[in-house]
Amino acid sequence: MAKPQADPNVEIQAQVKRAAELLQNKQIPEGRKIYEDLLAKYPDLHQLHEFIGRTYAAEAQYDKAIEHMRTALEKDPQNVQVQVFLGDLLMENIRLFREQPEVLLRLRGPVVDLDRQRGERPEQRRVERDVRDGPDH
């Protein structure tokens, strides 16, 4: 007689609960690892991208947080919580860029290689423009 198949929802709920406990105890990398392991095992659980994004945001790793929140929004474009949180992250980036423009280079990298071939420094132009006008101009 075949052994009954375990319900994956039981494992998922237990692991998400364990991650939440770790996060409450300020063990953010450990909690995130649980989410990442679940996502590797169950790639269709796109909600995990939101959870992972929130852990990165809690550690002020905004580039990684934004990446995961954008993925979550791609998978569920109607998710208002993700929309609002992503908007907050982007606004925080604008504030951060104005206070610390060198962070922009770390997050965005080079603009185009063609400018570099012409001997121009597009990163510097972009930083100066973004600090002056904000990153969306």
Side-chain angles (χ1 to χ4, degrees):
M1 195 168 184
K3 189 177 180 181
Q5 195 72 5
D7 182 2
N9 289 320
V10 173
E11 175 193 3
I12 293 165
Q13 289 175 0
Q15 291 296 325
V16 167
K17 182 179 177 183
R18 175 72 181 128
E21 291 169 357
L22 290 168
L23 295 173
Q24 286 179 340
N25 291 321
K26 308 290 187 230
Q27 295 176 287
I28 296 170
E30 294 85 353
R32 180 174 47 248
K33 174 87 168 85
I34 291 174
Y35 294 145
E36 290 170 338
D37 290 346
L38 282 172
L39 186 60
K41 190 171 183 178
Y42 304 103
D44 292 336
L45 283 177
H46 56 82
Q47 300 90 338
L48 293 168
H49 283 286
E50 177 185 357
F51 300 160
I52 294 167
R54 289 180 183 275
T55 65
Y56 280 121
E59 294 179 319
Q61 295 186 52
Y62 300 120
D63 53 337
K64 292 179 181 179
I66 289 169
E67 176 184 330
H68 280 279
M69 297 309 277
R70 283 186 171 154
T71 301
L73 196 57
E74 281 177 18
K75 303 291 184 179
D76 185 8
Q78 303 304 315
N79 188 325
V80 175
Q81 288 180 322
V82 172
Q83 292 172 2
V84 170
F85 195 76
L86 180 57
D88 289 344
L89 286 171
L90 294 171
M91 292 301 294
E92 177 61 20
N93 266 343
I94 290 171
R95 184 195 64 75
L96 183 62
F97 294 154
R98 288 190 173 146
E99 292 175 4
Q100 301 173 7
E102 69 278 0
V103 173
L104 182 64
L105 295 178
R106 191 171 30 117
L107 294 178
R108 292 191 178 174
V111 178
V112 265
D113 290 329
L114 291 175
D115 288 339
R116 191 171 284 122
Q117 291 172 0
R118 287 182 281 197
E120 297 177 10
R121 295 191 57 224
E123 300 90 13
Q124 186 60 38
R125 281 197 322 274
R126 178 180 266 180
V127 168
E128 291 168 356
R129 186 192 70 227
D130 286 349
V131 169
R132 183 186 67 242
D133 300 332
D136 295 330
H137 289 89

